[in-house]
Amino acid sequence: MTRPCAHTCIKPGGTDVTGELFQLYYINMSVQELEKKKTIDLRKKHIGPSCKIFFSHDPIKIVRAKGQYMYDENGQQYLDCINNVAHVGHCHPDVVTAGAQQMEMLNTNTRFLHDNLVLYAQRLQATLPDKLSVCYFVNSGSEANDLALRLARQYTGNKDIITLENAYHGHVSSLIDISPYKFHQLSDAEQSQFVHVAPSPDVYRGKYRAGHPDPATAYADEVKKIINNVHKKGRKIAAFIAESLQSCGGQVIPPVGYFQQVAELVRKAGGIFIADEVQVGFGRIGSDFWAFQLQGQDFVPDIITMGKPIGNGHPLSCVVTTREVAEAFMSSGMEYFNTFGGNPVSCAIGLAVLDVIEKENLQGNALQVGQYLTNRLEKLKEKHLLIGDIRGRGLFVGVELVRDRAKLTPATAEAQEVIYKLKEQHILLSADGPHRNVLKFKPPLCFTTEDVDLVVEKLDLILTELEEALGLKKHTTQSVVTENCKRKLSAEGNGNSEIIERDERVQQQNKTNKRIKT
């Protein structure tokens, strides 16, 4: 059976139950756990085949979690470096208790008055600039971004949206249209005439790099060109939308000043600025509570969206905007209604998450441990030629792997190999970016320096083995592929899977498996 969480849990009636008592209660009340193979078979039979899972060729069955750790059905512990959703740690007792206690008392339609909604809105707004004062609570980051587009279009009266290359903003139809990360995978898809894609402000691999005298202005000028072209067609801009730090796009950190310049251009063109904080908000960057604040105190978006960490795994999200935008939305005459957005249980959980961040100084921990992680990775970069770039803020860090530092040849297959080898060491990491070659660190904010040491130690060993197999030497900047180490990329699934063929010596030590996008 699934093992119970270690912290105090609450059963119906409000009685705290712990240890053996809770285990007996849990066993009696829970659904019988299936064998892993049966779980896989039922998933294949009843769950849509497009619903991908981590480590597809050898998935992990997770049955419980606590803090920065997850556990499979055999009790094996995994260090979780992936779950930015479990922001304050998996199954945090304060969050669990807040949700359970409120659920015992009331959960209902949001058309009834309830204190949790207004108190949470007040508390959330206190973390933001005064201008951002009106909240709309919804259930997911996708729903938040979809509503943000509606707000922008109603306020401006315009339709056209500017998005960034490699951006991802959600899975509903309106957001697939503005998510090149998704729609570029569809070979026969036609880009919406109302959507315009600006270059990603990537100073490592992008059009304007770190050596450019003013990359912020150069990237902003690209947005200006788009605006001019839209005007030539007799249309106007409704909004520019961007993740404050691009996540799926490869952990991209935009140059300071870029957002200010873009916001000025877009507002002059009649549009507004939407900052997507779904992946990076709530203190993850350490130095600030919101990632858009990295651009400076003089930058304030017109709308921000949030999700994932806001509820620590509970389906909760929010759109926050100005009074002017909210009143324009109301003037359309269409009532906005969301049955579950901001329900009493969700708001109780949201309040608990904010309490834990403050009480446990998790923003400070993200700053301290994130800097320690970055420093350790920078030293690793000095040793390993496969590491092309280290970038990030707080506990939002990317490690871009390349086969050639001069040409920036993406080490896509190697990144997949690293992920699977870390999994064998019971460490969960993922890779993303347009070339699937950026290792992504987005762990719960309770991550420790000891966790960092473990990950870096294992990563060091794996990279050493890979570079030996590839024939990489410290004195060269090129990746040399020897006759006994050939790699073949397969066009399987959506084109992001790899088959890695390694030399016979390495194969004897570690069986080579089909590597599927994680």
Side-chain angles (χ1 to χ4, degrees):
M1 300 299 298
T2 303
R3 295 165 177 80
C5 298
H7 59 258
T8 299
C9 296
I10 299 175
K11 73 173 183 178
T15 305
D16 290 346
V17 283
T18 57
E20 293 182 2
L21 180 60
F22 172 67
Q23 189 169 16
L24 288 172
Y25 170 79
Y26 185 88
I27 289 173
N28 290 333
M29 296 299 292
S30 65
V31 176
Q32 182 179 1
E33 184 178 302
L34 303 173
E35 291 292 328
K36 181 177 176 179
K37 183 180 183 304
K38 181 66 173 178
T39 303
I40 292 172
D41 290 343
L42 286 174
R43 184 181 177 98
K44 290 178 179 178
K45 182 177 180 180
H46 296 298
I47 305 302
S50 297
C51 300
K52 300 298 182 183
I53 56 176
F54 289 122
F55 311 107
S56 298
H57 85 279
D58 184 23
I60 304 172
K61 182 175 180 178
I62 297 297
V63 298
R64 67 183 180 100
K66 184 180 181 183
Q68 65 271 50
Y69 301 105
M70 305 180 81
Y71 300 85
D72 68 15
E73 75 278 14
N74 299 313
Q76 176 61 57
Q77 176 179 285
Y78 290 85
L79 178 62
D80 183 6
C81 304
I82 296 174
N83 264 293
N84 58 333
V85 176
H87 193 65
V88 302
H90 291 279
C91 300
H92 194 288
D94 292 4
V95 178
V96 172
T97 299
Q101 289 180 339
Q102 181 57 54
M103 192 174 292
E104 281 187 319
M105 190 178 303
L106 172 72
N107 198 27
T108 187
N109 193 300
T110 54
R111 286 190 171 184
F112 291 100
L113 279 176
H114 197 276
D115 289 346
N116 283 6
L117 177 67
V118 295
L119 290 175
Y120 183 43
Q122 181 184 49
R123 180 84 176 278
L124 197 58
Q125 196 284 319
T127 69
L128 293 161
D130 291 341
K131 174 183 173 183
L132 295 167
S133 60
V134 181
C135 300
Y136 296 86
F137 290 103
V138 288
N139 305 291
S140 69
S142 291
E143 194 175 355
N145 281 328
D146 178 75
L147 178 57
L149 293 186
R150 287 181 60 190
L151 289 166
R153 283 170 167 155
Q154 176 63 32
Y155 176 71
T156 64
N158 305 329
K159 288 187 176 181
D160 289 60
I161 305 293
I162 301 176
T163 187
L164 288 179
E165 185 182 18
N166 306 318
Y168 174 65
H169 294 289
H171 61 78
V172 300
S173 296
S174 66
L175 303 178
I176 295 296
D177 284 346
I178 64 166
S179 298
Y181 177 84
K182 286 293 186 181
F183 69 65
H184 280 169
Q185 296 176 10
L186 306 173
S187 58
D188 58 345
E190 183 177 339
Q191 183 175 320
S192 169
Q193 62 175 323
F194 299 109
V195 176
H196 314 278
V197 180
S200 171
D202 181 353
V203 296
Y204 176 69
R205 182 180 289 280
K207 188 174 182 179
Y208 307 105
R209 301 180 180 178
H212 192 280
D214 188 0
T217 299
Y219 279 114
D221 285 343
E222 295 290 331
V223 175
K224 185 177 182 179
K225 292 176 186 176
I226 290 173
I227 292 172
N228 290 338
N229 288 334
V230 170
H231 288 175
K232 288 177 182 178
K233 296 176 182 178
R235 299 204 302 270
K236 294 183 178 180
I237 301 297
F240 173 93
I241 183 169
E243 297 166 271
S244 298
L245 303 176
Q246 274 195 301
S247 180
C248 292
Q251 310 293 88
V252 174
I253 315 297
V256 174
Y258 171 66
F259 281 169
Q260 287 94 326
Q261 294 186 57
V262 169
E264 183 179 359
L265 291 167
V266 169
R267 287 165 182 160
K268 284 183 179 178
I272 61 177
F273 193 108
I274 303 170
D276 181 339
E277 291 271 340
V278 169
Q279 299 266 17
V280 291
F282 291 87
R284 175 163 293 279
I285 62 168
S287 59
D288 297 280
F289 201 76
W290 302 104
F292 72 80
Q293 293 171 322
L294 286 170
Q295 292 282 312
Q297 296 303 310
D298 61 329
F299 172 66
V300 180
D302 300 290
I303 299 175
I304 70 167
T305 60
M306 55 192 77
K308 295 189 187 297
I310 189 173
N312 209 56
H314 182 81
L316 171 65
S317 61
C318 188
V319 179
V320 186
T321 189
T322 65
R323 175 62 56 186
E324 292 76 15
V325 171
E327 289 180 351
F329 190 54
M330 183 180 67
S331 69
S332 69
M334 181 185 294
E335 176 190 23
Y336 179 73
F337 172 54
N338 192 305
T339 304
F340 298 111
N343 68 75
V345 171
S346 294
C347 290
I349 288 171
L351 282 164
V353 170
L354 292 178
D355 286 340
V356 172
I357 293 172
E358 182 177 348
K359 182 176 70 174
E360 299 183 5
N361 189 28
L362 292 182
Q363 182 179 330
N365 189 67
L367 182 63
Q368 179 185 356
V369 177
Q371 186 60 61
Y372 183 74
L373 172 61
T374 301
N375 290 342
R376 290 294 314 270
L377 290 171
E378 286 288 356
K379 290 179 181 178
L380 210 59
K381 178 185 173 184
E382 295 174 5
K383 181 179 179 181
H384 294 287
L385 291 173
L386 274 173
I387 299 179
D389 191 38
I390 307 294
R391 52 183 179 265
R393 297 290 186 275
L395 285 173
F396 179 86
V397 177
V399 180
E400 179 149 358
L401 301 186
V402 295
R403 295 178 181 176
D404 186 311
R405 286 186 178 179
K407 298 178 181 178
L408 305 186
T409 309
T412 301
E414 290 79 1
Q416 306 306 313
E417 180 78 345
V418 167
I419 288 166
Y420 275 87
K421 287 301 176 188
L422 283 172
K423 171 177 171 281
E424 292 172 7
Q425 299 297 319
H426 309 122
I427 296 170
L428 305 180
L429 196 64
S430 63
D432 222 322
H435 304 288
R436 308 292 181 195
N437 67 318
V438 180
L439 305 179
K440 296 168 59 174
F441 286 85
K442 299 185 298 180
L445 295 197
C446 53
F447 215 61
T448 67
T449 53
E450 290 78 15
D451 297 327
V452 170
D453 289 337
L454 175 63
V455 175
V456 172
E457 174 190 336
K458 299 300 184 182
L459 187 58
D460 183 16
L461 294 173
I462 293 167
L463 289 174
T464 297
E465 177 189 290
L466 271 174
E467 289 173 343
E468 287 178 355
L470 286 166
L472 277 172
K473 305 296 181 181
K474 287 185 179 181
H475 66 269
T476 180
T477 59
Q478 293 185 340
S479 92
V480 180
V481 183
T482 64
E483 290 184 3
N484 292 327
C485 183
K486 298 179 180 179
R487 296 186 178 273
K488 179 175 64 177
L489 301 183
S490 71
E492 183 175 306
N494 60 5
N496 295 320
S497 304
E498 287 81 27
I499 294 176
I500 302 178
E501 295 182 353
R502 308 180 61 188
D503 63 40
E504 293 182 0
R505 177 180 60 80
V506 177
Q507 287 183 39
Q508 291 172 358
Q509 297 172 1
N510 304 287
K511 291 183 179 180
T512 303
N513 297 312
K514 183 189 294 182
R515 304 305 191 188
I516 307 296
K517 167 192 167 184
T518 62

